[in-house]
Amino acid sequence: MVLSYLRRAHSSFAAHVFDIPPRLMVFLFLLILLAVPITGISDYYMGILTSANVLAIFAVSWDLLVGRTGQISLGHSLFLGIGGYSSALIFKYYGLPIWITIPLAMLIGSLFSVLIGFPCLRVKGPYLALVTMAFPLILYRIVKWAPLTPIFGRVGIIVPSFFHFLPIRQQVIAEFYFTLILLFASSVIIYKIANSKTGIVFMSILDDEVASQACGINVTKHKLMAFVISGMFASLAGCLFVHLLRLAESSVFLLTVSFIPVIITFLGGIGTIYGPIVGAYIYSILDKYVLGQMLPNLLEQWQMTLPTEFEYAKLLIFTSIVVILVIKWPRGIARYTTDRLEDLEEARDLDERGPRIWKRYKQKNRN
Amino acid sequence: MLEVKDLVVHYDGAMALNGINLNVEDGEFIGIVGPNGSGKTTLLRSISGVLTEVEPGKKERPSLSGTIIFDGRRIDKLKAWQVTKAGIIHCPERRRPFSEMTTLENLEMGAYLRKDKDGVKKDLERVYELFPILKDRTNQMSQTLSGGEQQMLAIGRALMAKPKLLLIDEPSLGLAPILKESVLECIRDIWLSGVTILLVEQDVAITLASAQRIYVLAHGKIAVQGTKEELMKNRDVREIYLGL
């Protein structure tokens, strides 16, 4: 009885919620995020949301490359690390302000993605995943290499935070807004790219490479373009992370970091661009709040503490979530919402079918 | 128009084509027949440049030697998209529609390289005229089309690129005999409208019925060539290669 009540409640809820146009939904989501600092939550929770913003940029860039172009990269932490280290090194040796190091780090990140793109694009599918996986591990060793310690530091390179001139509380709020603006800007740019003619070419490469070639598409060029765009935004995320942590360290190159965008994107919905943003918030709250705060507090009531190895168990939990999601809900959480939206639209007029992005693109270019 | 000279193709050491010489004149309808593994698809893929792309898991690229000349220009060193730009459109084996896109979107993908919007619109009308069923399926996802419709879509997509030379690979694959004939009928209509056609087929009978000249491939070589009458005159050819 309870179950049927819940089901009915859900469907009436869905009928109303999914009636909201997507643009308004995005706006509401943004409004809620913008209002977060006003609620006066503690710095720690603000920090969680700030890192969620940055993770969202990272995951969105991964989604463009993997979800939209089909070039599976399991070494995206490479770009995160390159962005972070190049920004930190520029600061260390030239002392340039952060406002200049960010675009420079993005430039260096895209240069690196061209360099790495060439060998990577000679292979496909699982081979590509393996090759991309190897690159961050190489850089990890280089950064850790003893003769280079004077450059990369023993624990890392210490950098100032973005708003080091402000008092601590305002710093946290400013960082949140700054990353939120960058997230908004970069996801809008990536979304626009993904829905442009270039983005549709990316989709066709994902769909069928031979057929794309037969249509006269320069597959290599477009794959490289996807690599560069993705690498550029991932290095922006890396650069932001370094300044949030105030430290550039070698652990960004670890394999576990490369799995974060995979987890986030599958949580939100692969190939949607907006999905990973939702996924990033869910992941960060699960990771830092539920597993990092709630669970230890709960256990403390029963005089128990989590073992230190729990950090590693977290990955286990998240990968299990991904496995379950891939089987039960392969299109992700955000995608589920838009699927319901499309169902509704389809119920309204059965003639207009096909993926949303194409409709948008054509409506724009029809007249 | 198209001239293939001494074309040799190896796949990882195994020879697929062993010295192919072939020429296609402007406005001709050429058929290529042959048994499985005789190199028909490889021949088309090497003309369109799709061949030299790396396949996953293969140690080496297929190696290609010999010359392919199209409209007085060497195309064997060109990439697939450059060959497409030159006017050779490949309608690949197993149709390969973009499964995540609708029929109309597939057709629009075919016109990717074209800049003349009016011409594209006109060609879209022409494709719909040729394959009326596609018009009914305009907004249907291409993966939900039937085999015959998918084949029509693949040919339509190739037509959208405004080909000078249309390479069609096994259009009858997996189709019922009646559908085979209607697809072939459509290809004939395309040819009559002025597109040069190079058709690869397993089905000898329907190819003989429509092509002007026929090359018979066997073991990577051209065994016999000639018009339908010439081939049918020779009893050995008829029995060994054509099975008629």
Side-chain angles (χ1 to χ4, degrees):
Chain A
M1 205 198 91
V2 178
L3 211 68
S4 74
Y5 171 75
L6 278 177
R7 204 165 287 153
R8 227 176 320 130
H10 171 254
S11 63
S12 73
F13 168 77
H16 288 104
V17 165
F18 300 139
D19 250 354
I20 303 170
R23 232 164 248 266
L24 190 65
M25 203 119 85
V26 171
F27 181 69
L28 285 176
F29 189 60
L30 197 70
L31 213 63
I32 292 167
L33 281 177
L34 280 172
V36 162
I38 303 166
T39 58
I41 58 172
S42 78
D43 291 357
Y44 178 76
Y45 297 129
M46 288 293 294
I48 293 174
L49 289 175
T50 309
S51 76
N53 289 341
V54 182
L55 278 179
I57 299 177
F58 186 37
V60 165
S61 78
W62 189 81
D63 195 29
L64 181 75
L65 184 63
V66 181
R68 277 296 169 91
T69 323
Q71 305 305 305
I72 300 163
S73 157
L74 288 183
H76 229 53
S77 66
L78 174 79
F79 301 117
L80 199 72
I82 283 171
Y85 266 104
S86 50
S87 153
L89 286 173
I90 291 167
F91 172 78
K92 185 177 171 187
Y93 287 104
Y94 301 101
L96 293 176
I98 293 154
W99 321 112
I100 298 170
T101 60
I102 291 176
L104 275 178
M106 284 171 81
L107 191 71
I108 293 168
S110 41
L111 284 179
F112 255 87
S113 42
V114 173
L115 275 180
I116 286 150
F118 274 114
C120 282
L121 294 178
R122 297 177 66 88
V123 288
K124 283 181 192 166
Y127 300 90
L128 175 68
L130 285 175
V131 170
T132 50
M133 216 178 204
F135 278 109
L137 299 179
I138 295 169
L139 279 217
Y140 180 72
R141 278 291 136 209
I142 291 174
V143 169
K144 281 277 204 185
W145 195 32
L148 294 178
T149 311
I151 299 176
F152 296 112
R154 198 165 295 281
V155 283
I157 306 166
I158 294 163
V159 291
S161 68
F162 289 115
F163 303 96
H164 50 85
F165 43 83
L166 291 174
I168 191 80
R169 173 71 188 169
Q170 274 145 358
Q171 235 185 75
V172 173
I173 293 172
E175 271 171 355
F176 173 77
Y177 280 127
F178 181 58
T179 50
L180 188 65
I181 289 164
L182 282 178
L183 165 64
F184 187 70
S186 47
S187 51
V188 164
I189 291 170
I190 290 179
Y191 192 80
K192 287 277 175 211
I193 291 171
N195 290 349
S196 67
K197 194 173 177 185
T198 315
I200 284 155
V201 171
F202 288 170
M203 286 268 284
S204 79
I205 291 170
L206 165 85
D207 213 329
D208 194 323
E209 255 181 59
V210 173
S212 311
Q213 282 175 343
C215 289
I217 289 161
N218 188 347
V219 171
T220 320
K221 187 183 109 187
H222 281 94
K223 278 187 193 171
L224 200 64
M225 262 165 78
F227 243 91
V228 169
I229 296 165
S230 178
M232 195 166 87
F233 285 101
S235 41
L236 167 68
C239 177
L240 294 178
F241 255 128
V242 160
H243 286 284
L244 290 181
L245 293 171
R246 296 137 175 86
L247 182 71
E249 50 146 11
S250 57
S251 65
V252 287
F253 289 119
L254 287 179
L255 212 52
T256 44
V257 180
S258 292
F259 285 136
I260 292 173
V262 184
I263 295 166
I264 289 176
T265 311
F266 273 103
L267 272 174
I270 193 164
T272 54
I273 307 298
Y274 52 82
I277 302 174
V278 179
Y281 288 104
I282 296 172
Y283 171 83
S284 297
I285 290 166
L286 269 181
D287 181 36
K288 299 269 171 54
Y289 180 65
V290 177
L291 293 179
Q293 283 257 291
M294 247 165 76
L295 193 66
N297 287 349
L298 203 70
L299 289 176
E300 213 169 281
Q301 287 181 358
W302 302 323
Q303 274 88 36
M304 282 196 285
T305 49
L306 281 171
T308 44
E309 290 83 17
F310 187 67
E311 274 301 309
Y312 300 99
K314 268 185 191 169
L315 191 69
L316 188 78
I317 292 167
F318 282 117
T319 41
S320 330
I321 291 175
V322 167
V323 170
I324 294 165
L325 269 178
V326 167
I327 294 167
K328 296 292 280 185
W329 235 6
R331 288 156 75 82
I333 290 162
R335 191 81 165 255
Y336 173 76
T337 324
T338 48
D339 277 358
R340 293 306 292 268
L341 264 171
E342 281 189 356
D343 284 351
L344 276 173
E345 243 171 54
E346 230 164 81
R348 279 192 201 121
D349 47 2
L350 278 162
D351 294 340
E352 282 289 314
R353 290 179 71 173
R356 180 171 298 280
I357 59 143
W358 257 106
K359 258 186 252 162
R360 289 263 170 77
Y361 173 68
K362 271 183 303 188
Q363 271 163 13
K364 213 168 52 194
N365 291 278
R366 188 159 283 157
N367 305 315
Chain B
M1 189 181 210
L2 179 78
E3 210 177 344
V4 179
K5 278 188 210 152
D6 304 319
L7 182 67
V8 179
V9 175
H10 291 271
Y11 284 115
D12 268 354
M15 190 172 277
L17 292 180
N18 186 4
I20 297 278
N21 287 294
L22 175 147
N23 73 307
V24 181
E25 295 302 324
D26 214 339
E28 266 189 314
F29 190 145
I30 305 288
I32 298 176
V33 292
N36 285 84
S38 58
K40 302 184 300 290
T41 299
T42 306
L43 175 58
L44 279 204
R45 286 169 73 103
S46 31
I47 293 170
S48 71
V50 180
L51 181 81
T52 44
E53 299 296 322
V54 223
E55 288 288 324
K58 292 273 166 61
K59 267 181 293 180
E60 296 166 39
R61 291 158 182 262
S63 68
L64 184 149
S65 66
T67 52
I68 304 170
I69 295 166
F70 179 68
D71 278 350
R73 186 163 156 230
R74 262 191 85 159
I75 56 164
D76 47 296
K77 296 277 185 290
L78 296 186
K79 295 257 188 259
W81 64 274
Q82 291 167 316
V83 176
T84 310
K85 215 168 191 177
I88 299 182
I89 312 298
H90 187 181
C91 178
E93 198 179 6
R94 282 181 284 118
R95 299 142 202 160
R96 293 176 175 271
F98 296 113
S99 52
E100 295 286 321
M101 301 183 188
T102 65
T103 303
L104 179 63
E105 289 156 4
N106 263 283
L107 293 175
E108 284 175 356
M109 278 313 288
Y112 170 73
L113 281 175
R114 292 175 64 179
K115 299 276 181 279
D116 53 327
K117 275 194 176 164
D118 296 333
V120 171
K121 224 173 221 172
K122 223 178 267 171
D123 275 1
L124 189 65
E125 286 308 311
R126 199 179 132 217
V127 168
Y128 280 155
E129 222 170 86
L130 210 54
F131 307 109
I133 189 79
L134 291 185
K135 192 158 194 173
D136 302 336
R137 302 273 184 265
T138 302
N139 289 319
Q140 195 172 325
M141 298 293 267
S142 68
Q143 56 190 349
T144 63
L145 299 181
S146 76
E149 289 162 357
Q150 283 188 8
Q151 185 59 57
M152 290 171 191
L153 177 58
I155 295 172
R157 189 178 63 191
L159 272 186
M160 289 298 289
K162 210 177 189 180
K164 287 182 198 155
L165 172 63
L166 183 56
L167 313 176
I168 307 179
D169 201 347
E170 295 248 1
S172 74
L173 192 77
L175 296 187
I178 187 145
L179 270 174
K180 275 186 196 179
E181 308 234 319
S182 71
V183 166
L184 253 285
E185 198 56 44
C186 290
I187 294 172
R188 267 183 76 85
D189 285 346
I190 294 165
W191 171 58
L192 289 174
S193 72
V195 180
T196 313
I197 285 175
L198 186 58
L199 171 74
V200 158
E201 252 302 338
Q202 287 234 29
D203 192 320
V204 177
I206 56 172
T207 317
L208 279 178
S210 13
Q212 287 181 307
R213 256 183 330 121
I214 288 142
Y215 289 86
V216 182
L217 277 186
H219 307 296
K221 279 184 177 162
I222 288 172
V224 234
Q225 66 171 83
T227 58
K228 180 186 174 186
E229 288 73 30
E230 281 165 12
L231 292 182
M232 293 302 277
K233 236 188 290 176
N234 190 330
R235 194 165 161 232
D236 290 346
V237 169
R238 221 166 67 201
E239 283 186 354
I240 297 170
Y241 295 115
L242 307 181
L244 292 171

